[in-house]
Structures are given as C-alpha cells and as structure tokens.
Amino acid sequence: MIAALRAEWTKTRTAGGGAWLLAGAVAVTVALSAGIAAATHVSAHSGQEDPTKVALGGIYLGQAVVAVFAVLTISEEYGTGMIRVSLAAVPRRLVLLAAKAATTTALALAAGVLAVTGCLLVGRLMLPGAGLDPAHGYPLISLGDGPTLRAAIGSVCYLVLIGLLALGVATVVRDTAPAIAVVMGVLYLPPLLAQAFADPLRRHIEQIAPMTAGLAVQATATAHSEPIGPWAGLGVLTAWAATSLLLAALLLRRRDA
Amino acid sequence: MNEATIEVTGLRKRYGPTLALDGVSFTAPPGKVTGFIGPNGAGKSTTIRVILGLDEPDEGRAWVGGHAYQALNHPLRHVGALVDAAAVQPSRTARNHLLWLARSQRLDAGRVDSVLGQVGLTAAARRKAGGFSLGMRQRLGIAAALLGDPPVVILDEPFNGMDPEGIVWMRALLRTLATEGRAVLVSSHLMSELQGIADHIVAIGRGKILADAAIEELLTGEQVLLQTPAPAEAAQVLQRAGGATTVLDDSTLGISALSARQVVEALGRSGVAFAEVSTRRATLEDVYFQLTNEETEFRTGTAVRR
C-alpha cells in the first residue's frame, strides 16, 4: 500500500497539469469570494446576513475545479491506456483505488485549507466595507468563533468529499468528458431542479442533493434557514462519496482492464 | 516450478459474440525466446492480458513462475511486460514515467537510470513522452518491462514502429535476455521478425493454439517449390498424394510432407504439367502458413459437409 501510495504521489507530482489545477481551484475560489464580497451591499433593511457563508461563497465554483482534478487522476489513465500499466504494477485493484483516493484526499485537503483560509481573509478584510461590520451587529470573521470554525473545517471536508465523489464517478465512467459531465450534473442540477418545486419537495431535494446538503455546513448566523443541519448535511455528502467509491471498487474489481 | 516460466492452461474467453480464446494452453520455458505468432485478432494480446491479470478468463489459469499474477508481491520484479507502447501520459517525462513505476515496486531511482541507459534513452530521459516517436515509446516500454530485472519478460508486438536499427537492437536484446536465463515471450504478426531469434514457437489462430514446439521441430522439413502453369490441379494431385500445399503466387506452389521426387512422380502419373521443381529449407513463414492453412482447410471442410 505504501509503495502504491508513493507511486500515485509520484504520478501526480510529475504530470504537470495536477498542480496547476489545484492552484487554479484555490485561485478561483478566493477570486469568486472576493467578487461576491465586492458585490455585497447590506442596508439597514436587509434581513439577517451570514458573513462567514458569504465569504465562503467561492467554494461554489472552486469545487468544480477540484472535481475535474479528481476525475483526471483516473480518467486520463483510461484515456491513454496507462491504466493497464498501473494495474500490472499494482494488481490488487482496491489497493490502487485506495492509493488514488488517499492522494486525492491529501491534495484536496491542502487546496481546501488554502482556499478556505483565503476566503475567510478576503471576507474579514472586504465585508466590513459592505456594511457587515461590528457597528451593524456583525462581528469580524474569526476562527475563534465556534460556528465559523465549524464552517471553515466543514468547507475543507466538503472539497475533499467532492474530490472523492468525482474520483468514484470517473472510475465507473472511465472517460474524462462524460465523467466530468456526470459530476457537474450531480452537483449543480438538483439545486436548479429544486427551484421548480414548492416546499416541502424543494426542501427534500435540497436535503438529499450532495451540494445543497454539503454546503449547509457553511451556515453560521442563518443555520435555521438551511435545509439540513451542518453535520447532517456533510453526512449526506459523505454518503454520496462513499456510494460512488463503493460502486467504483466493485466495478474496478469485476471489469477487464 | 522455475521462476522464469509462463504456463497457461485451458484459457477460454468470450467477448460478447466472439470467442477470443478457445482453450489456449502453452508453456514459455526459461532461457528461451518464445515467439507467440498469429495474425492480428488471433488472441495474442488477450492471452497476454490474461497472464498479467488485466483480463479475467472465463475458464483456465495462467501461472508465472508457479504463481497467479495477482498473488505476486511487487509483480514487476517477477514479470516485465510491454502491452501497449502508446500507454504513457504525454505530459510526463520518460524518466518520471519509470520513476513512478519504480516507486510502486520499491525500486530505487538508480534502476530507472540504468534501464534508460540499457534502451538507449538516456539523452531523452527528461523529454516528455508525448513527443516520442513510436520507436522511442517502444524503447520506453521495454525499459519499463526491464525495470524490476524480472525473470519473465513479455513483449506484445515490440517491433511495431521500430526503424531497421531498432529492429536489430531488439533482436539482440531478446537473445541477451534469454541467454541470461529469462523466459521471453514475444508476440508478433510478422514471422520474419522472429526468424532466427525464437527458440520456441507458439502459433495461435482464432483463439486456438496451432503449434507449441521447439523451432528445430517446426523447421525440420524441406519445402519443395513447384513452378507450374496449372497450380490448382497440381495442388489437388499433391494433396491426394499426402502433401500439404501453399499457393505462393500465380504459378508457384510450396509443398511440404513430400520429397521432390515424390512430387515429380505424382505429377507425372496424373499428367499435370510443370516447369521447375526445387527445394529450400522451410522458413518460419512457411511453417506458419502451413499451420494456418490446415486450420482454414479444416474450417472450409466442415462448411462443405454441412
């Protein structure tokens, strides 16, 4: 297993594209958060706002880049035929999948920590300019605040789980473009579909869809308006990622390479 | 069993409606180059994928040094294989491609540089594999196969895309590997590539083994060459007399299992005209065509009976 891990790490390190994609994920996330912060204006008549959630808004887009990264870790091998070389080197297929999952976890974790830190910094610096300042009853974003810390850690976990979900899908689908399409569909379609329905159906869709459920972990001041509790929501996403990896493991074992 | 042996027994594999392998059994012994010959689509690559644990056979087993491939710890130290030379990520350098493989087998980077030297890619080691010619990719694939210094080496069509210099190099390398005591299994659809270097021949056609024998046994016969204006009639006559015939061109037949004198006598009795009779030593190509012809005759024979 250690050898397989080192091999996977060496693959990621030497492919060139991976590092750029992850740097891109961080940049896109922080940039979108900055954009949202710049566009936010809060007046006295606005309802209750959630500065932490606003600051972490960039994850909405950054997750797509993390997903693409995770898809490519295996779909590119199917594309070039290198998967056969990999499986000849590591014939225990679940070990190969586990090594890929571990590498994806580690790298999504690193990118997630950077992105979330960047988002919160941007929020702390920019949001007071939008009216979300202590004078209006909004304390500055701080990791010393329990719910904010939970939102931060939860967002990092969210990105890791999205990566694992995408890795599983790509292992099942084995082809880059369709795999990316499936992942994007699973992430972004349910929230759009939900809009077509009234509560309680809309709420139920949002409770079981990976993105809406998973992102509930970001809410601090407005947690009551989320479809699902923060950790329960992350649990739903974990179930999605686990199912995806389980299916991937079954098919990887059964299918000819 | 010797570490350096491939043993395949009763492989059967169906892909949808096609029976890719129909009871394939053979042994590739240590210290020999075993030529695995057959036309494209005969089942060579499928057999190799089964040996490497990439494809699961419906029936039968493949053993490497007495073990199933999946049971090998650090398999590349037991079996080195070239399956598809195009199977490299284009953005990775040759050296890094070998480096991740080395890591997966707990081999140190020194082995990487050593095999790069062995295949003549030292100068291109830090170039991206995407820019390599097919011949260079074949060399990179060979380097990967040799990385773990394995007692068994399996190369699927290693001559593809190689220039004449590369072919000479490859032939010498195959000989060297066998001399070192390794079992070397080399597939090819071109018999001429293996003439003179294969010690042992496994011929496959339509998923069936047509021959599994030492080269001396296969190349014993002399072939009789017959120039005749009536090759079809001559073939009929000679087959009745117990010969196996191959049409070489419009007016030339190759005949085995009959001596030149028997050919002349048979044709004389039947009054078939001929211009010239000569003999030559059988080549691997003759043997192969003879084997595949027998297979074809068998098939057409059954078709007619129905």
Side-chain angles (χ1 to χ4, degrees):
Chain A
M1 180 70 201
I2 307 270
L5 264 176
R6 291 193 68 194
E8 283 306 315
W9 172 246
T10 309
K11 274 187 206 169
T12 315
R13 191 171 60 76
T14 59
W20 286 110
L21 264 178
L22 287 172
V26 174
V28 160
T29 305
V30 177
L32 180 61
S33 281
I36 293 172
T40 302
H41 291 287
V42 178
S43 67
H45 305 294
S46 310
Q48 174 76 6
E49 289 290 336
D50 190 338
T52 301
K53 189 174 174 157
V54 171
L56 290 170
I59 302 283
Y60 187 80
L61 200 56
Q63 62 178 337
V65 188
V66 171
V68 169
F69 166 79
V71 163
L72 287 176
T73 55
I74 192 150
S75 71
E76 258 195 331
E77 292 205 20
Y78 277 107
T80 56
M82 203 178 83
I83 190 72
R84 294 207 178 111
V85 183
S86 292
L87 286 174
V90 184
R92 290 174 188 111
R93 299 188 175 189
L94 296 190
V95 171
L96 183 73
L97 185 62
K100 284 194 180 290
T103 316
T104 303
T105 300
L107 289 164
L109 193 71
V113 166
L114 288 177
V116 166
T117 308
C119 286
L120 293 180
L121 268 178
V122 160
R124 185 183 170 105
L125 295 173
M126 291 179 68
L127 285 178
L132 294 171
D133 55 12
H136 294 84
Y138 296 101
L140 287 178
I141 291 173
S142 157
L143 287 176
D145 172 42
T148 301
L149 184 62
R150 183 250 298 147
I153 292 173
S155 294
V156 174
C157 294
Y158 177 85
L159 287 178
V160 169
L161 290 167
I162 293 293
L164 293 175
L165 171 64
L167 174 67
V169 169
T171 308
V172 171
V173 176
R174 299 195 282 190
D175 196 354
T176 304
I180 290 177
V182 169
V183 175
M184 296 303 153
V186 166
L187 289 182
Y188 293 106
L189 278 186
L192 291 178
L193 275 175
Q195 302 305 313
F197 299 100
D199 279 334
L201 186 55
R202 175 196 288 196
R203 203 173 160 79
H204 288 319
I205 293 176
E206 289 177 346
Q207 279 168 344
I208 57 166
M211 182 164 93
T212 41
L215 285 180
V217 84
Q218 293 184 339
T220 58
T222 57
H224 54 275
S225 65
E226 293 293 332
I228 192 169
W231 295 117
L234 214 52
V236 168
L237 178 58
T238 307
W240 275 88
T243 308
S244 153
L245 284 177
L246 195 68
L247 201 60
L250 282 175
L251 288 175
L252 188 62
R253 269 188 71 140
R254 290 195 51 155
R255 289 196 292 216
D256 288 337
Chain B
M1 185 192 280
N2 189 304
E3 263 274 271
T5 309
I6 303 168
E7 198 185 358
V8 164
T9 53
L11 292 187
R12 215 171 287 275
K13 174 85 182 165
R14 183 178 284 283
Y15 293 107
T18 37
L19 191 58
L21 301 179
D22 187 5
V24 168
S25 302
F26 66 88
T27 302
K32 303 242 151 100
V33 175
T34 300
F36 193 23
I37 63 178
N40 290 327
K44 303 187 296 291
S45 296
T46 305
T47 304
I48 288 175
R49 285 203 302 272
V50 168
I51 296 172
L52 298 176
L54 295 171
D55 284 15
E56 185 72 23
D58 301 332
E59 278 173 50
R61 297 293 303 265
W63 306 93
V64 182
H67 304 281
Y69 189 89
Q70 285 97 331
L72 296 171
N73 218 355
H74 306 312
L76 303 193
R77 297 183 183 198
H78 301 268
V79 187
L82 167 70
V83 181
D84 174 8
V88 289
Q89 207 143 312
S91 63
R92 197 171 281 125
T93 66
R95 189 173 185 282
N96 282 334
H97 177 70
L98 296 173
L99 192 61
W100 78 254
L101 273 171
R103 295 280 183 249
S104 73
Q105 310 297 309
R106 292 180 183 271
L107 296 163
D108 60 67
R111 272 306 292 167
V112 170
D113 296 314
S114 138
V115 290
L116 277 167
Q118 203 177 342
V119 303
L121 281 180
T122 304
R126 285 169 203 282
R127 278 173 50 195
K128 291 188 173 170
F132 279 13
S133 66
L134 183 53
M136 286 171 86
R137 287 182 190 215
Q138 292 281 23
R139 285 175 188 256
L140 179 55
I142 305 288
L146 299 180
L147 192 61
D149 194 16
V152 171
V153 178
I154 300 175
L155 307 174
D156 197 4
E157 299 278 357
F159 294 98
N160 269 1
M162 283 225 158
D163 55 19
E165 188 202 345
I167 290 173
V168 170
W169 169 80
M170 178 72 75
R171 290 168 66 95
L173 176 72
L174 293 174
R175 270 266 54 94
T176 308
L177 293 173
T179 310
E180 289 165 352
R182 301 175 216 261
V184 184
L185 182 69
V186 190
S187 83
S188 175
H189 63 286
L190 295 173
M191 309 319 122
S192 53
E193 289 172 345
L194 296 176
Q195 175 91 44
I197 47 162
D199 310 291
H200 192 90
I201 290 292
V202 174
I204 186 170
R206 300 203 166 202
K208 286 197 167 106
I209 296 296
L210 307 176
D212 176 6
I215 195 101
E216 310 87 67
E217 293 171 40
L218 289 172
L219 295 187
T220 45
E222 274 186 333
Q223 205 189 20
V224 179
L225 294 182
L226 175 74
Q227 300 281 336
T228 168
E233 289 168 81
Q236 242 178 3
V237 168
L238 293 168
Q239 281 169 17
R240 236 179 289 133
T245 60
T246 321
V247 181
L248 298 175
D249 63 49
D250 291 352
S251 59
T252 315
L253 281 182
I255 303 120
S256 42
L258 287 178
S259 70
R261 194 171 145 194
Q262 287 170 312
V263 168
V264 172
E265 283 172 2
L267 294 175
R269 274 199 303 275
S270 313
V272 177
F274 60 94
E276 190 188 323
V277 177
S278 57
T279 58
R280 63 160 184 184
R281 280 195 61 80
T283 64
L284 201 46
E285 215 142 6
D286 302 329
V287 171
Y288 178 72
F289 280 125
Q290 202 184 313
L291 289 167
T292 44
N293 259 13
E294 282 162 15
E295 171 80 339
T296 319
E297 279 162 23
F298 175 70
R299 275 202 312 278
T300 43
T302 45
V304 167
R305 265 201 296 275
R306 276 186 206 135

